[in-house]
Amino acid sequence: MKTKLMLLGLLALCSATHLSAGKLDFSNQGIEDDERASYTEATSITRLAKRVKIMEPAEREDIDSLDLSANLLSDQGLREIIDKVLPLLPNLREIDFTYTVITPKALGDVFSLLRRYPNLQYINLWGNGVSDAISDFLEAREGEEDIKTLVRTKVIAYPKSLVQAGATPRLPRALSTVPEW
């Protein structure tokens, strides 16, 4: 009986995966870091990693976009995503962390992705209140021109006030179009 319930749960996880044309969409799915999820009914990062892991390897290789927007990831959740989920998706070009709960303390982790995953073209951090901290982070990186260039050209982060006011934010120079998230 327990095995049947586990199989039904696994099937439910598989059917809840939102995959279309190379985009894995887990936006607004109540995903939280493992510790916080243990106290709530939210989906943990470990459970999310299991969803991805049970996919066919060829299917995972075709995924080039991961949308985790509008989840309560936090800095710890971000680290768990980096450790448990991203290694399963080697060809990512876009990651959307819009309106998660990432703070300026986690910017080093976010920016390390740019070095670890050279195919990444965009990391979207809109609505996390980190845009001002990005400038401070870059100023503190004397002699690290490579990471400064990567951040300036591949990270999208605008103040919540700009987005809420309906203003059209200016894209970094290297980006001529808004990515389709």
Side-chain angles (χ1 to χ4, degrees):
M1 181 67 169
K2 187 175 180 181
T3 305
K4 286 182 184 180
L5 288 174
M6 287 175 59
L7 286 174
L8 286 173
L10 189 58
L11 286 173
L13 279 175
C14 293
S15 64
T17 300
H18 305 276
L19 178 63
S20 65
K23 181 176 183 176
L24 193 54
D25 186 354
F26 287 112
S27 62
N28 202 21
Q29 297 293 310
I31 297 169
E32 295 184 9
D33 61 69
D34 287 348
E35 182 178 350
R36 192 177 328 170
S38 68
Y39 297 106
T40 67
E41 294 190 20
T43 301
S44 69
I45 304 296
T46 298
R47 199 163 168 201
L48 173 67
K50 287 178 184 176
R51 282 184 180 178
V52 175
K53 197 177 277 189
I54 61 174
M55 297 169 69
E56 293 292 326
E59 192 176 28
R60 286 197 312 250
E61 287 179 15
D62 288 341
I63 296 171
D64 63 0
S65 178
L66 177 62
D67 186 347
L68 293 165
S69 62
N71 286 296
L72 295 174
L73 294 181
S74 76
D75 296 348
Q76 179 60 35
L78 172 70
R79 285 182 206 94
E80 291 171 8
I81 291 286
I82 290 170
D83 293 341
K84 298 176 182 180
V85 178
L86 297 186
L88 301 170
L89 304 170
N91 297 319
L92 278 181
R93 295 174 48 83
E94 303 169 358
I95 303 175
D96 189 348
F97 290 119
T98 305
Y99 289 105
T100 54
V101 193
I102 296 170
T103 69
K105 292 178 185 176
L107 287 178
D109 294 324
V110 173
F111 299 154
S112 73
L113 295 174
L114 297 169
R115 285 185 173 148
R116 287 173 58 184
Y117 297 92
N119 290 338
L120 269 179
Q121 296 300 308
Y122 306 108
I123 297 178
N124 192 341
L125 295 173
W126 278 12
N128 283 300
V130 296
S131 59
D132 294 334
I134 290 173
S135 297
D136 297 339
F137 181 89
L138 293 176
E139 285 177 19
R141 299 292 177 263
E142 290 208 25
E144 294 184 57
E145 295 307 313
D146 63 327
I147 194 67
K148 287 181 179 183
T149 300
L150 288 171
V151 170
R152 287 185 184 119
T153 59
K154 296 184 177 191
V155 175
I156 302 170
Y158 297 99
K160 286 183 183 179
S161 58
L162 257 183
V163 177
Q164 290 170 346
T168 305
R170 218 181 67 222
L171 290 172
R173 283 176 284 150
L175 303 178
S176 58
T177 60
V178 177
E180 292 181 26
W181 299 104

